[in-house]
Amino acid sequence: MGRPRIKDVAEYAGVSAKTVSNVLNDYEHVSEQTRTAVREAIDALGYRVNIAGRQLRRGRTGVIALAVPELDIAYFAELAKHVMAETERRGSTTLLLETGGRRERELAAVHGFDAQFTDGVILSPLALQPRDLAGRDTRLPLVLLGECNPPGSADHVAIDNVTAAREATEHLLARGRRRIAVVGGDLRGPQNTSRLRTVGYQEALSAAGLPVPEELVLPVPAFRWADGAAAARTLMRLPQRPDALLCLNDHLALGAVRALHEDGWSVPGDVEVVGFDDIEATRFSIPTITTVAPDKPGIARRAVELLLDRIDAGGPGGPAVDETAGHRLIVRESSGG
Amino acid sequence: MGRPRIKDVAEYAGVSAKTVSNVLNDYEHVSEQTRTAVREAIDALGYRVNIAGRQLRRGRTGVIALAVPELDIAYFAELAKHVMAETERRGSTTLLLETGGRRERELAAVHGFDAQFTDGVILSPLALQPRDLAGRDTRLPLVLLGECNPPGSADHVAIDNVTAAREATEHLLARGRRRIAVVGGDLRGPQNTSRLRTVGYQEALSAAGLPVPEELVLPVPAFRWADGAAAARTLMRLPQRPDALLCLNDHLALGAVRALHEDGWSVPGDVEVVGFDDIEATRFSIPTITTVAPDKPGIARRAVELLLDRIDAGGPGGPAVDETAGHRLIVRESSGG
DNA sequence: GCCGCCATTTACATCGATGTAATCCTATGG
DNA sequence: CCATAGGATTACATCGATGTAAATGGCGGC
């Protein structure tokens, strides 16, 4: 025998299918007696609602998607934990997708097949272009995390990246460092996270009356350990080597520290290192890593809140919201803490 | 206007709804002309099938669940990457769930609400009891990763944990270590991963004619950095301190290394350390960590294959399969590599 | 010129749950 | 004792896609 349907429960309890449905949905006008009988029937048959049927009728799935570039970048894994906890707390389920930072996969999360399963999407974009969101189907609510070009095209939650990078740079300056490199920095690309943080770095240098040496702003192909290691080696081979590295995420910082160690440089003695994200590894690495800690629970909570509000509102709702989450610099051994 | 339905496409193309459905499902007896007309209508209206309707009719979702203990344990994030890549390659979608290693959440993945969305579940259990799978609804295919008590209760993919732990221990013995502790070890608990690896450890010691000092087998509350650090401190305070730590995952190893460093012990000089899982961090930490590398792509591929085969088969299918995935010891700095 | 075959297309019922609106029923007031 | 309010329950249609079986139509063969 297949799974019991609502009709089977109804027959067992001697009521109509709709009454069972009413019990399931906590409709108020159901007598205590009927309610009990139905509950017993449900238990006896081991009935559970069929999501497909419900979704078809209601037009909602109760599932939201969270699309991040890479799960094995710890920041995204930690963020995903918080988002999942928050959606669960609010009675929804999270469908976690990995985009690999590839534009076509980011688009798919918003427009494509996977979007079918969901009532809304939280996307942490890397490659998305401004025009990609232009013709967007506004029936599917979207919240963007981190940076993206077109402000106002969708709800958006991020830390103040310019300020965060400025503060991190000021910290290094205050410690007497003068040749500070940016690993993963970018002066010319789109208005993304790298760009904004590099701007904050420039601001700090300028405010201190220092020039911004272009050769110290080094883009990387990806934000992983190996990229940080390679970048550190490149930078240390410059005629005038840096005395500090501002790494735009913690994996780059950890990779850089490893490469410096292999090549005989001491951290923080010869070179100080700062990262971004405050992943768990930075509290246990040798040395521990100074890092900009974004308020991950706050980002997750706010993103889920915004998304569920849009979903509940139904229509396109009000204008896009821009939210700034908190951050703080945590000084650890890699910059003398 | 809402989203276009199959009926809208049918009207636009001047055919019946069923013909559109036939085109969508690549039914062979559709004239080239009609097929083209329908395709054009689909493009013109921006139609995409409604998953709920299809699922209701077909009884399949095209989604499989992958339930792991913690996403921020890098091993599970890396494994999830492989599983997601594999399911995508085979035309399915993965719903990633986090159980926190809690029994009720593991049960929910197999029996509960989330299982509703899926055609089958891949579960990496921590707390599941033998009896939990006894009354299982066999209509939902299940593949277990890692260890679980009742062999034969579901398909199962794992490395040979006993052998792997024995080899790791033999490596430490061969390097002259004699007081080898097991961080996360367990001699009395259920037949889980910890237990099996501890057995392998015992085998190696016994084969070398050494006693198995019970105080060196130290269970941990969780398999995270902090637990490794705490365990290392406990062990180093013993009257007869260990000269090597076999840590049952890499996070424990990394945490232990950090604690040893803080307390002034050198690794590998005073204490050698070995981990399990070969997470990316072990290739970049200071020192790099010797570790048992399971064949993660192989595990993922085989698990997905087994699950999709069961799903395609429909019924309960044949008896449960036990698959052993490969592993190898990678020697790095933490044990003198 | 009629028949039957086969490729193509369609009408209709169906999957399971729920919104709508109608019906039934009981208690209360006049 | 009837009217009526409103709580409790139900019949029916519906969400969107697809399986079934039947209808349509073109073509070759006798």
Side-chain angles (χ1 to χ4, degrees), chain A residues 73-96:
Chain A
I73 299 280
Y75 173 68
F76 294 116
E78 294 181 6
L79 191 63
K81 263 185 99 101
H82 287 116
V83 169
M84 292 172 90
E86 184 66 18
T87 50
E88 192 192 333
R89 208 175 61 72
R90 309 207 19 174
S92 293
T93 301
T94 308
L95 180 66
L96 192 47

Side-chain angles (χ1 to χ4, degrees), chain A residues 31 52 68 70-71 73 81 119 137 149 163 167 195 201 232 247 265 268 294 315 321:
Chain A
S31 71
V68 298
E70 311 259 358
L71 264 185
I73 299 280
K81 263 185 99 101
D119 296 336
D137 180 349
N149 275 6
T163 303
E167 290 168 358
R195 180 73 182 282
Y201 155 83
C247 301
W265 302 103
V321 174

Side-chain angles (χ1 to χ4, degrees), chain A residues 1 3 48-49 51 56 70 72 81 84 95-96 98 111-112 116 224 258 280 284-285 333, chain B residues 3 48-49 51 56 70 72 81 84 96 98 111-112 116 139 224-225 258 280 284-285 333:
Chain A
M1 190 196 77
R3 255 173 66 161
R48 269 171 314 124
V49 301
I51 300 279
L56 179 55
E70 311 259 358
D72 55 352
K81 263 185 99 101
M84 292 172 90
L95 180 66
L96 192 47
E98 212 184 24
H111 294 118
Q116 287 278 322
R224 311 181 66 97
R258 172 71 206 178
E280 200 173 359
F284 291 91
S285 57
E333 294 166 358
Chain B
R3 257 173 64 162
R48 271 170 313 126
V49 302
I51 300 279
L56 180 56
E70 310 260 0
D72 55 354
K81 262 185 100 101
M84 292 171 91
L96 192 48
E98 213 184 25
H111 293 118
Q116 288 277 323
R139 280 181 298 260
R224 311 182 65 99
W225 274 278
R258 172 71 204 179
E280 200 171 1
F284 292 91
S285 57
E333 294 166 359

Side-chain angles (χ1 to χ4, degrees), chain A residues 150-236:
Chain A
S153 66
D155 289 342
H156 173 219
V157 181
I159 64 169
D160 181 344
N161 278 297
V162 175
T163 303
R166 180 156 42 70
E167 290 168 358
T169 311
E170 284 164 357
H171 161 70
L172 290 168
L173 289 169
R175 292 185 48 79
R177 302 291 160 161
R178 284 299 173 271
R179 286 197 49 86
I180 304 172
V182 185
V183 177
D186 182 5
L187 283 167
R188 301 197 183 71
Q191 201 71 7
N192 58 17
T193 304
S194 288
R195 180 73 182 282
L196 292 178
R197 291 183 181 170
T198 308
V199 168
Y201 155 83
Q202 286 181 304
E203 284 183 11
L205 290 191
S206 303
L210 293 172
V212 178
E214 274 208 35
E215 78 274 19
L216 291 187
V217 176
L218 188 63
V220 292
F223 279 63
R224 311 181 66 97
W225 275 277
D227 305 289
R233 293 217 160 87
T234 303
L235 288 165
M236 295 307 281

